[in-house]
């Protein structure tokens, strides 16, 4: 009798044995059906050894209750007397609710767990075929299949088989099931069976002999006519048999389903015929197949039907698989396949994804398969469809480091064991780690983690996923370093040929040069070489992810040669997580950013500072530039310092743009291209304005000290005034001055002209820094007019002679440097011209349209494709800007929002004022942003300005990557550009030309 308020001794024992509901367990242990087992300590110990003792006990009670009276004693006696049987049965009941359900429906199936012969420990296809032999229809096949699955699960949860052996048994059971299903289909249609030969080729995990508990079974069907049969009719008959086989396995019956049979890996996927002849398969693979299809064929294995025909198929396609690495588009395809397929996983699930998430099973499988494709063409020892066998072969051949392979093997086995146990519970197809505490506890205990199952499971899982994440990249690149390094005696290394093959497969155009760079960077015993050996495997992966890996590696070597002896540089790359990846992105994305960096490599520190990529505002930059000018000994030294600041800030802007456009592992790429364009335009405008302010101060100080005899201001025009400068833009300006009190006008004019000439000279001096070209051609009278005018002169000119194009140009006028009061008075002077009261007259509108039409016919370079010219082409920058500017001049006098120098801001204001419908406004904005990004991309990639897409394939691919197109999609990029700008031109025809 239990004393009130105290727990029974049974209750305490149940807690100690791992029960989470001891009260419920006590009640279950007291049911009459378990009377023969009551009080037996052996049962409690066995239940406590299971993954979920409560679940195991509930399943046992259901199984005993389901036994006929005459059989119940047999079960309980066997349970108490045979330890192997007890461990197997309770192990399954504690791990799988679904198999407990099966046993409750088929109470005699427990007997299949009793035998414990040597052959029973590791059954193969023949044993499973025997287990399924009596199945005559879909229902009986399911029952027999579950009975065989019960035995596999029992061996698995008891540790009789390891995870790889269990996966192989599941694949063998699938093979036997496909054979049994085909036999049932043949029996149902003997005429069809007689007319054709049908081979079933297993693909995916079934073909690779590494199946899960619940998975699609991937297959390909090959058919041939039987002797004397018509081919077309025979293929129709084979298709009916194949379809019936799929239904037998896939359809839901009273006994549930087995698994879906998926034939979508066949040529042309679901759009192609279900069954093809061998010659039809070969014709497709030789002509149309993509690289991923050859990757899938790595695992092809003939498993059912006409095995002779299946063997012929394997023999025919195998050479094609191992020639895939020689295909023209292999590099682009490999780069695409190597990018993780996480985009389609809901954000909330990414962290719980065992298969597709970062550090998941797919990372290991893809890495191994791609190394097989690269090196299997010259080493037949790598021709295995099983991931772990292939990994071992790669290590044995020196293609993967032994320690890396060992760690990866361990991680893969752990992750696969997790996947098996998760699926086994309810026999449902899932790769998500559960969130429920009870599920995590059962999962942890099933993997042998008994002290603190949930915490230990999470810790082990994260540890193994981290190993996979780290080694996934290293797997490709570490052996490349070993190929050029001094290895310990007995270590196997990649041959130069194999290293070259791998670099070529990863997109390096000059593998020999790449190996020389690696040797220079990684050989030696210095601390620098040791750190670089650690960094390079990851950097090589990031370079390979770009359009120009060779440039990335060469740039890294140059930066390292320049900075290698500075202790902070390698420490920055090693310790600042983002710095190394940011550097890799910047070095491999084109010429401009690396050129800017290599002129002053210490700017690499920007990439490691979390705030480093944010643009500095104009006030901050002007303060820094003017301080540097103040410290300089002469004007040339002063402007050299200002241009140095400009170069650094150009690098900061370009780096932020590239990293935002490419994205990194921790930060996805910027989804709004308009914000990238705005940031670049604003940043380059600010740094050019600060540089001009510095040049002005330097020019004045050199001759006049602190004060010029005349007030002087620089007005930004064009893209400069519109805050829309690109990396290669000139600075369009007007110069205005006003003599100080008591200063002769001629003296003032001479001083103003001398200042302008000196500023332009200083900003264009040949130095290591990029020049800043000042263009004053938008001044009154153009190149024929004086470079500098007084405010009164501007007023007189604009009052008497101003043309409509000059009023249009003044829409972009904005103060940039010099005397602010004078600049503001200039702006007040031109406001009535650019925003005329009552808007533009019809004559002025006609004149603007005539000028635009003339520009289109005369200024487009000869031979340029008008559909692809970003500035002057159809739907390009000029089209959009002239349309917006016409709206500004017509309506700016009544709509304050239109009084802005910025194109996108004015377009938004026109839309807000109801002057342009939403769809048309979006169309113009999209085209303007895209054309601007194309020009920025060309400058970043080529290092010199351009208005059209590059003709060089590698440069074109780099422009594509910057614009967000994956490797191999440049055709799609050009098509999209033409489509977007064509739509914009239609809006321009309507709004600008009034068509």
């Amino acid at each position: 009798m239990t004393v009130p308020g105290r727990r029974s001794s049974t209750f305490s024992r149940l807690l100690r044995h791992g029960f989470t509901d001891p009260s419920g367990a006590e009640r279950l242990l007291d049911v009459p059906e378990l009377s023969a087992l009551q009080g037996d300590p052996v049962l409690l110990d066995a239940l406590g050894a299971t993954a979920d003792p409560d679940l195991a006990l509930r399943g046992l009670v259901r199984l005993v209750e389901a036994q006929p009276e005459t059989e119940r004693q047999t079960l309980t006696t066997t349970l108490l007397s045979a330890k192997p049987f007890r461990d197997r049965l309770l192990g399954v009941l504690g791990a799988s609710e679904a198999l407990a359900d099966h046993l409750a429906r088929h109470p005699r199936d427990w007997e299949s767990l009793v035998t414990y012969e040597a052959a029973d420990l590791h059954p193969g296809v023949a044993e499973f075929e025997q287990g399924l032999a009596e199945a005559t229809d879909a229902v009986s096949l399911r029952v027999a299949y579950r009975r065989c699955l019960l035995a596999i699960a029992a061996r698995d949860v008891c540790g009789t088989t390891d995870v790889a052996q269990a996966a192989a048994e599941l694949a063998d059971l699938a093979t036997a099931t496909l054979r049994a299903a085909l036999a049932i289909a043949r029996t149902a249609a003997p005429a069809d069976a007689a007319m054709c030969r049908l081979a079933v080729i297993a693909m995916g995990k079934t073909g690779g002999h590494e199946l899960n508990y619940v998975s699609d079974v991937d297959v390909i069907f090959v058919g041939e006519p039987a002797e004397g049969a018509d081919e077309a009719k025979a293929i129709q008959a084979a298709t009916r048999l194949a379809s019936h086989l799929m239904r037998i396995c896939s359809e839901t019956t009273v006994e549930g389903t087995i698994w879906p049979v998926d034939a979508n890996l066949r040529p042309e996927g679901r759009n192609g015929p279900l069954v093809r002849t061998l010659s039809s398969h070969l014709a497709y693979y030789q002509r149309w197949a993509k690289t991923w299809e050859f990757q899938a064929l790595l695992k092809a294995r003939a498993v059912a039907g006409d095995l002779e025909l299946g063997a012929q198929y394997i023999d025919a396609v195998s050479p094609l698989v191992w020639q895939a690495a020689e295909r023209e588009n292999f590099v682009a395809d490999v780069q695409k396949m190597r990018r993780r397929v996480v985009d389609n996983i809901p954000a909330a699930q990414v962290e719980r994804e065992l298969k597709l998430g970062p550090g998941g099973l797919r990372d290991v499988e893809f890495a191994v398969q791609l190394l097989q494709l690269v090196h299997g063409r010259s080493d037949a020892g790598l021709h295995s469809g099983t991931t772990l066998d292939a990994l071992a072969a790669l290590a044995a051949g020196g293609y993967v480091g032994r320690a890396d392979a060992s760690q990866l093997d361990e991680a893969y086995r752990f992750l696969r064991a997790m996947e098996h146990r998760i699926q086994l519970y309810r026999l449902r197809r899932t790769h998500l780690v559960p969130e429920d505490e009870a599920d995590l506890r059962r999962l942890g205990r099933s993997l042998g983690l008994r002290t603190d199952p949930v915490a230990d499971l999470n810790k082990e899982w994260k540890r193994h996923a981290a190993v996979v994440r780290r080694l996934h990249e290293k797997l490709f690149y570490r052996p490349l370093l070993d190929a050029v390094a001094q290895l310990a005696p007995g270590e196997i290394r990649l041959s130069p040929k194999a290293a070259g093959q791998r670099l070529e497969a990863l997109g390096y155009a000059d593998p020999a040069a790449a190996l020389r760079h690696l040797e220079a960077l990684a050989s030696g015993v210095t601390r620098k070489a040791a750190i670089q050996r650690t960094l390079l495997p990851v950097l090589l992966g990031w370079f390979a992810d770009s359009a120009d890996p060779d440039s990335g590696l060469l740039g890294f070597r140059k930066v390292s040669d320049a900075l290698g002896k500075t202790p902070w540089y390698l420490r920055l790359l090693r310790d600042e997580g983002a710095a190394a990846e940011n550097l890799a992105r910047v070095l491999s994305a084109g010429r401009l950013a690396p050129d800017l960096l290599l002129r002053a490599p210490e700017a690499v520190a920007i990439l490691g500072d979390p705030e480093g990529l944010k643009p500095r505002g104009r006030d901050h930059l002007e303060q820094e530039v003017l301080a540097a000018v103040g410290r300089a000994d002469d004007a040339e030294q002063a402007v050299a310092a200002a241009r140095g600041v400009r170069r650094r800030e150009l690098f900061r802007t370009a780096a932020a743009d590239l990293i935002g456009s490419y994205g990194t592992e921790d930060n996805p790429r910027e989804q709004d291209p308009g914000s990238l364009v705005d940031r670049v335009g604003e940043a380059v405008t600010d740094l050019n304005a600060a540089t001009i302010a510095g040049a002005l101060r330097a020019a004045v100080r050199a001759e006049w000290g602190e004060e010029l005899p005349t007030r002087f201001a620089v007005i930004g025009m064009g893209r400069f005034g519109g805050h829309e400068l690109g990396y290669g833009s000139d600075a369009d300006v007007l110069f205005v001055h006003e003599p100080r009190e008591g200063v002769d006008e001629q003296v003032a004019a001479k001083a103003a002209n001398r200042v302008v000439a000196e500023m332009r000279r200083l900003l264009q001096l040949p130095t290591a820094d990029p020049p800043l070209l000042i263009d004053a051609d938008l001044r009154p009278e153009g190149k024929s007019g004086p470079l500098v005018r007084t405010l009164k002169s501007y007023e007189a000119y604009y009052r008497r002679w101003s043309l409509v194009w000059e009023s249009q140009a003044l829409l972009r006028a904005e103060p940039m440097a010099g005397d602010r009061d004078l600049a503001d008075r200039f702006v007040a002077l031109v406001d009535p011209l650019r925003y005329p009261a009552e808007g533009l007259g019809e004559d002025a509108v006609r004149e603007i349209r005539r000028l635009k039409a003339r520009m289109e016919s005369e200024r487009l370079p000869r031979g340029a494709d008008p559909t692809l010219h970003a500035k002057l082409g159809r739907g390009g920058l000029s089209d959009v800007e002239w349309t917006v500017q016409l709206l500004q001049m017509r309506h700016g006098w009544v709509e304050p929002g239109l009084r802005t120098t910025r194109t996108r801001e004015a377009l938004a204001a026109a839309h807000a004022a109801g002057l342009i419908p939403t769809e048309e406004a979006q169309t113009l904005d999209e085209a303007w942003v895209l054309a601007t990004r194309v020009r920025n991309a060309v400058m970043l990639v080529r290092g010199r300005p351009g208005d059209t897409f590059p003709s060089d394939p590698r440069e074109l691919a780099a422009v594509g990557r910057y614009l967000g197109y994956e490797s191999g999609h440049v055709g799609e990029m050009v098509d999209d550009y033409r489509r977007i700008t064509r739509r914009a031109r239609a809006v321009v025809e309507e709004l600008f030309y009034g068509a």
Side-chain angles (χ1 to χ4, degrees):
M1 175 181 154
T2 305
V3 178
R6 291 183 60 189
R7 298 290 192 188
S8 70
S9 59
T10 308
F11 185 96
S12 305
R13 283 173 62 212
L14 289 168
L15 271 179
R16 282 199 306 275
H17 279 86
F19 286 85
T20 56
D21 181 12
S23 302
E26 270 191 291
R27 286 194 298 276
L28 288 174
L29 286 168
D30 284 340
V31 299
E33 289 81 0
L34 293 191
S35 57
L37 302 173
Q38 282 166 3
D40 195 309
V42 168
L43 175 66
L44 214 50
D45 289 344
L47 285 166
T50 65
D52 187 339
D54 300 87
L55 182 68
L57 180 56
R58 287 198 300 274
L60 179 61
V61 170
R62 289 175 67 203
L63 175 59
V64 174
E65 286 175 343
Q67 299 300 312
E69 290 284 348
T70 51
E71 298 294 326
R72 196 170 288 165
Q73 189 178 354
T74 310
L75 170 59
T76 53
T77 304
T78 311
L79 194 65
L80 290 176
S81 61
K83 183 180 188 313
F85 167 69
R86 183 169 62 246
D87 292 344
R88 286 176 165 199
L89 176 63
L90 295 181
V92 168
L93 292 174
S96 178
E97 194 171 63
L99 288 176
D101 292 344
H102 172 82
L103 282 168
R105 283 198 311 277
H106 303 280
R108 295 292 298 272
D109 277 6
W110 64 269
E111 293 169 8
S112 65
L113 301 180
V114 175
T115 51
Y116 203 68
E117 305 300 326
D120 176 54
L121 292 180
H122 300 293
V125 176
E127 286 77 16
F128 289 126
E129 282 192 285
Q130 198 176 334
L132 304 176
E134 293 176 13
T136 55
D137 58 25
V139 174
S140 58
L141 182 60
R142 279 153 178 67
V143 176
Y145 174 84
R146 288 277 196 281
R147 191 182 304 123
C148 293
L149 193 66
L150 188 63
I152 293 175
R155 287 188 290 276
D156 182 10
V157 298
C158 292
T160 309
T161 54
D162 65 18
V163 67
Q165 291 168 328
E169 287 184 17
L170 288 163
D172 284 342
L173 175 56
T175 296
T177 307
L178 288 169
R179 292 179 183 180
L182 183 55
I184 293 169
R186 285 176 178 277
T187 303
D192 283 349
M195 196 183 297
C196 66
R197 299 169 64 199
L198 177 64
V200 183
I201 310 297
M203 302 287 285
K205 285 192 159 41
T206 314
H209 226 223
E210 51 187 17
L211 196 59
N212 299 328
Y213 276 100
V214 189
S215 174
D216 289 1
V217 168
D218 296 308
V219 298
I220 284 176
F221 295 107
V222 188
E224 291 289 343
E227 199 171 332
D230 174 75
E231 184 178 298
K233 289 181 179 175
I235 295 302
Q236 288 172 357
T239 301
R240 287 191 291 271
L241 287 173
S243 298
H244 193 188
L245 176 153
M246 292 173 75
R247 288 197 305 276
I248 289 167
C249 298
S250 306
E251 283 182 349
T252 303
T253 69
V254 290
E255 285 293 336
T257 183
I258 301 178
W259 18 247
V261 176
D262 187 341
N264 287 337
L265 291 176
R266 66 187 185 270
E268 298 179 76
R270 63 186 61 193
N271 299 319
L274 185 62
V275 183
R276 287 176 185 256
T277 61
L278 179 54
S279 61
S280 174
H281 275 281
L282 287 177
Y284 172 83
Y285 286 126
Q286 285 162 348
R287 235 184 129 185
W288 305 110
K290 297 182 173 65
T291 301
W292 72 262
E293 293 178 275
F294 293 113
Q295 184 192 6
L297 285 169
L298 269 174
K299 295 184 176 291
R301 185 167 61 93
V303 292
D306 190 315
L307 294 180
E308 184 186 345
L309 175 59
Q312 289 170 357
Y313 172 88
I314 299 298
D315 290 344
V317 300
S318 283
L320 301 176
V321 171
W322 304 113
Q323 289 161 16
E326 293 159 20
R327 290 161 57 89
E328 189 181 343
N329 57 347
F330 180 74
V331 170
D333 290 344
V334 164
Q335 288 179 331
K336 219 177 304 173
M337 290 190 296
R338 276 185 51 256
R339 293 190 192 101
R340 286 197 203 87
V341 198
V342 294
D343 291 351
N344 296 327
I345 308 173
Q349 295 181 2
V350 170
E351 292 303 314
R352 296 192 294 125
E353 251 287 348
L354 269 181
K355 182 178 178 181
L356 301 177
L361 294 161
R362 180 63 61 86
D363 275 354
V364 183
E365 291 158 1
F366 264 38
V368 169
Q369 288 162 25
L370 293 174
L371 287 175
Q372 285 180 276
L373 286 175
V374 171
H375 299 297
R377 51 185 157 163
S378 54
D379 187 344
L382 302 179
H383 297 188
S384 169
T386 308
T387 301
L388 291 176
D389 291 351
L391 181 59
L394 286 164
Y399 303 104
V400 171
R402 286 186 187 279
D404 291 347
S406 172
Q407 282 186 284
L408 210 57
D409 180 283
E410 183 191 353
Y412 186 73
R413 286 173 186 273
F414 183 84
L415 296 174
R416 280 302 299 272
M418 276 184 75
E419 183 184 44
H420 277 192
R421 297 292 196 273
I422 291 167
Q423 293 183 349
L424 183 59
Y425 176 49
R426 287 209 172 104
L427 287 183
R428 287 184 187 162
R429 185 183 178 211
T430 179
H431 309 288
L432 289 178
V433 178
E435 293 178 291
D436 181 74
E437 184 90 7
D439 290 335
L440 289 170
R441 182 174 183 276
R442 180 181 55 258
L443 179 56
R445 282 175 59 92
S446 76
L447 296 169
L449 306 170
R450 297 299 170 95
T451 309
D452 187 351
V454 177
D456 291 348
L457 171 70
N458 279 315
K459 183 176 163 189
E460 284 297 291
W461 170 35
K462 298 299 180 193
R463 179 174 73 83
H464 286 297
V467 165
V468 172
R469 262 203 306 274
R470 191 178 77 250
L471 293 183
H472 170 240
E473 296 291 346
K474 201 172 157 189
L475 211 60
F476 286 90
Y477 307 109
R478 174 48 59 88
L480 291 168
L481 299 187
D482 292 344
V484 296
Q486 299 294 316
L487 295 190
E491 282 284 318
I492 301 169
R493 70 167 78 221
L494 281 184
S495 67
K497 179 186 173 188
Q501 283 178 336
R502 187 174 302 188
L503 283 163
E504 210 173 324
L506 293 162
Y508 289 83
D510 188 349
L515 278 172
R516 286 197 301 275
H517 297 324
L518 289 177
E519 189 167 12
L521 287 161
S523 55
V525 292
T526 62
R527 180 173 170 275
K528 172 187 168 187
I531 291 174
Q532 294 196 141
R533 279 197 293 273
T534 306
L535 287 170
L536 274 165
V538 185
L539 285 169
L540 283 168
W542 287 322
F543 294 148
D545 194 36
S546 74
D548 194 354
D550 300 78
S551 296
L553 182 55
L554 173 61
F556 181 66
R557 181 178 174 184
K558 286 179 176 176
V559 172
S560 293
D561 286 348
L563 294 177
K565 291 184 180 168
T566 55
W568 62 264
Y569 166 64
L570 290 170
R571 191 167 62 243
L572 169 84
L573 294 185
R574 188 191 61 199
D575 300 338
E576 298 291 341
E581 186 178 5
N582 289 344
L583 179 63
R585 297 292 178 214
V586 166
L587 289 176
S588 57
R591 292 182 191 166
L592 179 67
D595 284 352
L596 292 168
L597 178 61
L598 289 167
R599 286 168 184 169
E602 63 277 2
V604 79
I606 288 170
L607 302 175
D609 179 357
E611 300 293 308
L613 294 174
K614 291 184 179 172
R616 304 300 186 244
R618 187 183 306 184
D619 292 345
H620 177 104
L621 290 170
E622 198 166 308
Q623 193 176 354
E624 182 183 358
V625 166
L626 294 178
V629 168
R631 290 191 297 270
D633 294 333
D634 57 39
E636 290 190 4
Q637 196 182 72
V639 173
R643 286 172 65 181
V645 172
R646 177 171 178 265
R647 182 236 315 117
R648 184 197 71 209
E649 293 307 313
L650 269 176
F651 173 72
R652 187 194 310 277
T653 305
D657 189 18
L658 288 166
I659 291 161
S661 298
Y662 267 69
T664 62
E665 289 191 356
D666 292 331
N667 297 301
R669 67 185 181 84
E670 172 65 63
Q671 293 302 303
D672 176 16
S675 67
L676 284 170
V677 163
D678 291 344
R679 282 204 292 272
V680 170
E682 195 72 45
V684 178
T685 299
D686 284 347
L687 64 94
N688 281 358
T691 307
I692 287 172
L696 174 59
R697 174 73 62 86
V700 170
R701 276 184 65 210
E703 191 167 342
W704 295 279
E706 291 305 310
E707 189 174 272
L708 195 63
T710 184
R711 292 186 180 87
F712 185 90
V714 183
I715 308 297
M717 299 286 285
R719 295 190 188 289
F720 188 26
H723 296 252
E724 294 160 2
L725 286 178
Y727 298 106
S729 303
D730 296 349
D732 288 319
V733 299
L734 296 178
F735 298 111
V736 58
H737 80 105
E738 185 179 67
R740 296 185 186 278
E741 272 186 46
V743 176
D744 180 73
E745 284 200 11
Q746 282 192 325
V747 171
K750 193 180 287 186
N753 276 289
R754 287 229 304 274
V755 162
V756 169
E758 179 67 356
M759 282 172 67
R760 296 177 88 177
R761 181 186 77 83
L762 291 169
L763 289 170
Q764 292 176 47
L765 280 174
T767 69
D769 297 315
L772 174 54
L773 302 177
I774 290 181
D775 185 339
D777 289 353
L778 291 174
R779 65 188 183 269
E781 301 177 72
K783 290 181 181 177
S784 314
L787 260 179
V788 194
R789 286 175 182 262
T790 62
L791 187 63
K792 285 180 180 174
S793 172
Y794 275 108
E795 186 179 6
Y797 175 86
Y798 287 138
R799 188 173 61 248
R800 291 186 65 188
W801 308 110
S802 176
L803 300 171
V804 69
W805 74 263
E806 292 176 302
S807 298
Q808 184 183 351
L810 288 168
L811 285 167
R812 306 292 206 109
E814 184 170 296
M816 286 295 165
D819 189 302
R820 184 66 200 215
D821 174 65
L822 176 62
D824 287 342
R825 282 186 285 135
F826 176 87
V827 169
L829 166 69
V830 301
D831 270 351
L833 289 168
R834 53 186 181 175
Y835 311 122
E838 307 301 325
L840 282 180
E842 283 307 309
D843 288 347
V845 171
R846 272 196 300 275
E847 175 64 10
I848 287 175
R849 287 172 176 163
R850 189 186 65 76
L851 283 169
K852 174 81 169 78
R854 193 176 117 201
M855 188 177 78
E856 286 176 17
S857 63
E858 293 177 5
R859 288 187 58 192
L860 193 70
R862 185 176 297 172
D865 183 344
T867 67
L868 292 176
H869 198 279
K871 183 176 181 183
L872 301 173
R874 179 193 72 188
L877 295 173
S878 173
D879 269 1
V880 177
E881 288 164 2
W882 280 62
T883 302
V884 171
Q885 287 162 12
L886 184 59
L887 288 169
Q888 288 180 280
M889 294 181 77
R890 294 179 91 167
H891 304 283
W893 67 287
V894 286
E895 290 294 342
L898 289 172
R899 294 173 213 157
T900 173
T901 61
R902 293 163 163 85
T903 301
R904 295 188 74 209
E905 211 172 89
L907 181 56
H911 170 249
L915 300 173
I916 177 169
T918 301
E919 190 176 342
E920 280 86 338
Q922 288 172 345
T923 298
L924 292 181
D925 187 68
E926 183 182 19
W928 189 89
V929 166
L930 178 58
T932 304
R933 293 206 79 213
V934 168
R935 295 180 89 208
N936 284 348
V938 170
M939 184 67 187
L940 284 166
V941 168
R942 303 181 70 193
R944 58 182 188 273
D947 292 312
T948 58
F949 290 95
S951 54
D952 177 80
R954 191 159 270 219
E955 290 179 347
L956 187 61
V959 168
R961 287 305 308 279
Y962 172 81
L963 294 177
Y965 292 86
E966 298 294 353
S967 184
H969 287 263
V970 292
E972 188 182 320
M973 167 182 71
V974 172
D975 289 346
D976 285 350
Y977 182 86
R978 285 193 167 115
R979 175 179 54 78
I980 290 165
T981 52
R982 184 176 63 245
R983 286 169 47 212
R985 178 64 186 198
V987 176
V988 171
E989 294 283 354
E990 181 187 341
L991 292 178
F992 183 82
Y993 288 111

